[in-house]
Amino acid sequence: MAKYTMIDKETCIACGACGAAAPDIYDYDDEGIAFVKLDDNEGVVEVPEMLHEDMIDAFEGCPTDSIKVAEEPFDGDANKFE
Amino acid sequence: MYKNEQIFDLTIVGGGPTGLFTAFYGGMRQCKVKIIESLPQLGGQLAALYPEKFIYDIAGYPKVRAKEMISALKEQAFQFNPTVCLEERVQHIKKLDDHFEMITDKGIHFSKAIILTAGVGAFEATRLEHPKAATFEGKNLHYFVDDMNKFANQKVVVIGGGDSAVDWALMLESIAEEVHIIHRRDKFRAHEHSVENLRNSNVNMLTPYEVKDLIGSERIEKLVISNSKTQEEKIIDVDAVIVNFGFKSSLGPIKEWGLEIQKGSIVVNSKMETTIPGIYAAGDITTYPGKVKLIAVGFGEAPTAVNNAKAYIDPEAKLQPGHSSSMNLETANLTTTS
C-alpha cells in the first residue's frame, strides 16, 4: 500500500525525534522545524517501502502528533485527512 | 484526594525552563511559590525530549546542553524553596473571593495568582499497550527511572529503542542482576555510540521482539515476548519492567478554563495577563502579535508575568522590582515565609 507523509509545521515543536527515527525521510529547517525531505513537505511523493518502518517509528514517537501519514497524497495540506 | 489549605501567592503550572525561571523570580520577589508539573521530573521538553542536545541561544551561554541548563535552572529556583508537586495535572480552576482553587487529578490547591508556563501542554509517557499494563503501573512497571538503585540485584527488562531506553539499560548493567532490552526492530534509534556500547555490554539484546503478555497477579513475574518476524515466543522472568516509548503532549483541560486560545496558545497582553484577571502566562504557551517561541523569550516573559502578578496580589507592591544585583541575595534569608 502506498504511503505518503507530511509534517504539520504549525504544531511541530522542533524536538528532533523524527529525524533520529527516520533520517532518510525527515529533516529540519533553519528553525529546527521538521519537514519531509522527499518532496519539500508537500506530501505528494510516495515513501519507499523500505522506509515504512522508520516512518512508523517517527509517527508514533512524535510528541505532538505533528507527523501525518496517509495512503493518498496530501497535496500540501497536512490536515487534509483530519 | 488531598487538600492543601495553605494559600500560595503564585502557583506555576508547568515545570519547564520558563516555569523554573518564573519560580526563581517569584521567590526573589518574596512570593510563596508552588510548581505543579505533570511529569515525575522537572525540566519540560529539555529533560524529557532532548536532554543531550545543545542550545545556542540562551543569553550568556555560547552553548549549553539541555540537561545542564535544567540543572542550573533548578539550582537557581530552589534557592527560595518552592513547593514542587510532581505527577499532577491541573484539571479545573475556580475563582473564589480573593484567590483561586485549583483541582488536580490528585488534590486541591489554593493560590492568589496563577502563572501558566505549560508549553505545549502536559506531557505523558506513552503507555505499553496491553490490557493488564495499567494494573502493574506503580508496582513493578515503570515509565520513569528516578533512582537506579532500587533495581539493585533485580532482573530488569527495558523496552524501547531510543536514547533513554538504551541509556537506562547501560546504566542498570552494573547495578541490576541482569538486564534485557527489548525492541520491536533490529535497528535502535539511539546514538550509534550508545548502541555500540550496548553491543559490547552484558545487556541481553532481544530484537526484533514485542511484548505479548504480562504474567503475574500483584506484580509482573514473567514477560511473554514474541519475535516480530518469526512469531517465536520466549518467556523471561522479571523483577521490574521499564518502558520507554517517548512522550505525548496535550493542552487537555486548559482549553476548558475560559481563557482565550488561538491555535493552541493562550492569548496574553503586554503584562502577560490572560483574559482572566489573576491568571498570567509565560513561555511557549502564550501568543500575542509578534510572539516568538523560544526559551530566551520565555525567560523574558517570566519576570513580566511575576512582577505584574505581584502587583495584582498586593497593589501596594512595586511593579518595578529593582535590580537583583542590588538585592544582596547571598545574605538574604532565602526561605520564603510570607
Side-chain angles (χ1 to χ4, degrees), chain A residues 15 54 57 60 62-63 65, chain B residues 53 184-185 247-249:
Chain A
C15 75
D54 284 359
D57 263 3
E60 289 179 352
C62 175
D65 290 328
Chain B
K53 274 171 102 174
R184 64 179 172 178
R185 299 182 59 187
F247 299 93
K248 291 282 177 198
S249 72

Side-chain angles (χ1 to χ4, degrees), chain B residues 182 206 209-212 223-226 232-234 236:
Chain B
I182 297 174
L206 292 160
Y209 276 93
E210 285 180 89
V211 174
K212 200 162 174 202
L223 268 190
V224 182
I225 58 170
S226 95
E232 170 227 348
E233 289 190 1
K234 271 188 205 285
I236 313 172

Side-chain angles (χ1 to χ4, degrees), chain A residues 10 13-16 20-21 53-54 57 59-65, chain B residues 45 49-50 53 120 123 126 183-185 187 189 245 247-249 263:
Chain A
E10 292 284 322
I13 56 170
C15 75
E53 278 196 325
D54 284 359
D57 263 3
F59 170 74
E60 289 179 352
C62 175
T64 54
D65 290 328
Chain B
Q45 290 175 39
L49 300 177
Y50 47 85
K53 274 171 102 174
V120 288
F123 274 100
T126 305
H183 183 38
R184 64 179 172 178
R185 299 182 59 187
K187 196 172 109 187
R189 290 191 306 280
F245 290 160
F247 299 93
K248 291 282 177 198
S249 72
K263 286 190 178 175

Side-chain angles (χ1 to χ4, degrees), chain B residues 95-139:
Chain B
K95 178 108 167 104
L96 305 176
D97 285 344
D98 60 350
H99 63 277
F100 293 92
E101 181 184 73
M102 306 171 77
I103 301 165
T104 71
D105 49 354
K106 286 191 180 161
I108 301 172
H109 304 260
F110 299 99
S111 191
K112 292 178 188 165
I114 295 169
I115 302 183
L116 304 171
T117 55
V120 288
F123 274 100
E124 206 177 337
T126 305
R127 274 16 191 201
L128 178 68
E129 271 186 46
H130 188 281
K132 281 188 266 178
T135 59
F136 297 119
E137 206 175 315
K139 293 172 183 162

